[in-house]
Amino acid sequence: MALLRHAARVAWKDLRIELRSREIVYTMAFFGGAVPGMLWVAIALAGTIGLGRAFDRERENDTMRALLLAPVPRLAVFLGKAIATTVLVLAVAVVCAPMLAWLLDAPLFAYPGPLVLVVVLGAVGIAVIGSVFAATLLKVRSRDVLLPVILYPLLVPLFVAGTSSTSAQVAEFPNLDAAWYWIEFLGIYDSAFLVLSVWVFESLVIE
Amino acid sequence: MKKLAVPLLAVLAAIGLAVSVYLVFYDAPLEYSRNAELQLNGSSLFFNQKIVYFHVGHAFWLFGAVFVSGLSSIAFLKTRNPRWDDIASASTDVAVAFGAVVLFTGSVWAKAAWDVWWKWEPRLTMSLLLWLILVGYVLVRRFAGPSADRIASGMAIFGMVVVPFVYVMVGEGNSHPQAAPGLNPSEGVVGKISPGMRPALWLSVASFLCWYVALLISRVQSTRAERELRELRERGFDLGVLS
């Protein structure tokens, strides 16, 4: 439980910086505005920008080493970063989804349960997979080129599943079976990579 | 024995390939469609479907190579012994080549079965993404500098976890208008072939195993030699012998 407390502290640190500067929320909320596609484009952009910011800030101020040297398990640092990114992505989704539903007059909230579930699972997946590789690439010079090369093949299944599930929900004849099929897929994909990330993070990030 | 392994396996693979080509074209029956109407029409699918034997042979050891790479990456992260990393790197190089063959033959098959070269269907998309992860691994190794080995190991382990998704992913029906019944690029093949097709299929899988192992061994040797050369050069610089 101490681990979770430390993770929460790291996450809260990131989110507090965010609340004070509002840098990401402003830039990312711009992307709100074909509904499932738009929603997931917004989530994808929020994820990549949020991820980049969460780790770039540590590099610019050279604080990643300090963070890793803190007397908490590295796992807590990883979980903290992942939680902060998840919260940011969800914040953008919370802003964008009603705007999309209203502007495009789409029945986005016809099935609130599956919609919330699919967005949360998508955000968690992006944050978890993204945090592992953003952290390992922190010190690499060609980081900006390599991060998308590594990340996108792993994240695209999340976007495909998220978009398929959302479009099955908002279609003229909603297909809830398909929606749940993709939610299950997201759940399995997320849990597989969460377990894996927790397992390898410590040996991948060494300063 | 060690020196003989590569040529021996290569010869085995060549003989196996020759025999399996014979079996594929002269012994294995044409696939019987489950659709009687199409059987009568004699659609071109029935002959083109023979690409399956090479497609599956490569796909098997593409997955095998990704697992070898992922498991040796785990061993590398645990032990920090660079010999494991050599194996992971070599196996991924071979996997990239096998993956290219899988995608190419799969595309030929799709043209026969669906009359399109490519379709954005879950299983095909996942295979392409797996291949992109492998290509990403090679790029990371080349461009990520001193910590490339660790980052690449992480990618290999993640890639290994993607494999089951490729294998399990089956779309919600093959809804393409031209979709012919019978064997289909978006389905698993092994459980569905008729008994007469089995010898040819398993022989080609076995010969591609020999081929994969031969490639792996020779690639591991050259990767190890490259690494040792690099280490020696660094030592030379440290000692001031080289400048």
Side-chain angles (χ1 to χ4, degrees):
Chain A
M1 281 310 100
L3 177 73
L4 287 181
R5 211 175 53 240
H6 296 313
R9 196 153 291 162
V10 175
W12 179 237
K13 169 194 82 71
D14 271 13
L15 292 172
R16 197 158 52 190
I17 299 177
E18 209 43 62
L19 284 174
R20 288 187 183 155
S21 65
R22 297 203 177 79
E23 204 173 341
I24 300 178
V25 174
Y26 283 154
T27 29
M28 291 193 299
F30 263 116
F31 294 110
V35 177
M38 278 298 203
L39 179 64
W40 283 91
V41 166
I43 290 177
L45 279 166
T48 23
I49 298 174
L51 214 53
R53 290 299 306 161
F55 285 92
D56 276 1
R57 199 156 39 218
E58 303 289 358
R59 191 171 44 83
E60 276 161 19
N61 305 328
D62 212 12
T63 45
M64 193 63 186
R65 181 168 297 159
L67 200 56
L68 289 175
L69 283 175
V72 298
R74 291 205 169 148
L75 197 53
V77 176
F78 163 69
L79 286 177
K81 286 284 176 195
I83 293 169
T85 312
T86 312
V87 171
L88 281 173
V89 174
L90 286 179
V92 172
V94 165
V95 176
C96 285
M99 244 160 65
L100 282 169
W102 177 61
L103 284 174
L104 300 170
D105 198 18
L108 201 53
F109 294 102
Y111 302 98
L115 180 76
V116 170
L117 205 56
V118 77
V119 169
V120 169
L121 285 173
V124 169
I126 295 169
V128 165
I129 299 176
S131 299
V132 175
F133 285 105
T136 43
L137 280 172
L138 205 62
K139 290 276 171 182
V140 177
R141 225 180 311 118
S142 42
R143 163 189 65 252
D144 296 330
V145 186
L146 287 179
L147 189 58
V149 169
I150 299 178
L151 224 46
Y152 279 116
L154 287 167
L155 293 188
V156 164
L158 292 172
F159 299 141
V160 171
T163 318
S164 308
S165 175
T166 316
S167 66
Q169 290 167 34
V170 302
E172 200 174 343
F173 303 103
N175 180 353
L176 277 187
D177 281 349
W180 280 108
Y181 170 83
W182 288 110
I183 289 175
E184 275 164 31
F185 173 82
L186 273 175
I188 296 168
Y189 201 82
D190 274 11
S191 16
F193 282 102
L194 180 63
V195 171
L196 193 59
S197 307
V198 165
W199 192 45
V200 298
F201 183 78
E202 220 155 324
S203 34
L204 286 183
V205 183
I206 289 174
E207 285 281 299
Chain B
M1 183 59 217
K2 233 181 168 182
K3 272 189 178 159
L4 267 178
V6 173
L8 201 69
L9 284 165
V11 167
L12 269 180
I15 297 172
L17 184 66
V19 177
S20 69
V21 165
Y22 175 82
L23 287 181
V24 164
F25 287 105
Y26 292 98
D27 185 58
L30 286 170
E31 189 213 353
Y32 290 110
S33 171
R34 282 167 248 158
N35 184 330
E37 209 176 310
L38 267 167
Q39 267 181 34
L40 291 175
N41 291 344
S43 138
S44 69
L45 167 75
F46 299 119
F47 195 70
N48 287 341
Q49 154 272 322
K50 290 204 178 283
I51 193 108
V52 168
Y53 298 101
F54 301 101
H55 179 73
V56 173
H58 280 93
F60 245 82
W61 304 115
L62 163 65
F63 293 163
V66 173
F67 269 97
V68 168
S69 170
L71 293 176
S72 24
S73 292
I74 292 175
F76 169 64
L77 287 180
K78 279 259 176 272
T79 62
R80 299 281 158 178
N81 183 349
R83 283 171 159 255
W84 287 114
D85 192 42
D86 295 340
I87 297 175
S89 163
S91 185
T92 312
D93 287 343
V94 180
V96 169
F98 272 53
V101 175
V102 169
L103 290 176
F104 179 77
T105 52
S107 181
V108 172
W109 187 14
K111 180 68 181 164
W114 298 327
D115 203 29
V116 286
W117 293 105
W118 183 264
K119 180 167 133 183
W120 291 105
E121 174 268 356
R123 196 162 201 223
L124 273 62
T125 311
M126 284 304 276
S127 323
L128 179 65
L129 289 173
L130 175 65
W131 191 66
L132 287 178
I133 293 172
L134 300 174
V135 172
Y137 179 100
V138 175
L139 289 175
V140 163
R141 227 160 228 294
R142 192 137 307 163
F143 297 114
S147 50
D149 48 357
R150 264 187 296 118
I151 302 168
S153 316
M155 287 186 77
I157 299 170
F158 275 62
M160 182 172 68
V161 174
V162 169
V163 167
F165 287 98
V166 178
Y167 199 72
V168 172
M169 273 322 274
V170 177
E172 306 126 89
N174 302 294
S175 49
H176 195 268
Q178 263 94 27
L183 287 185
N184 202 313
S186 66
E187 290 173 354
V189 167
V190 174
K192 292 189 178 113
I193 56 170
S194 59
M197 295 159 87
R198 269 174 208 154
L201 182 73
W202 290 117
L203 184 62
S204 95
V205 167
S207 1
F208 286 120
L209 170 64
C210 295
W211 180 225
Y212 162 68
V213 176
L215 285 176
L216 180 69
I217 293 174
S218 56
R219 189 74 192 134
V220 166
Q221 284 166 351
S222 73
T223 317
R224 185 180 301 159
E226 262 171 47
R227 176 176 54 78
E228 282 168 357
L229 184 63
R230 206 168 49 235
E231 285 170 1
L232 278 177
R233 180 173 289 158
E234 273 161 20
R235 260 178 65 195
F237 280 124
D238 288 348
L239 293 171
V241 183
L242 294 167
S243 56

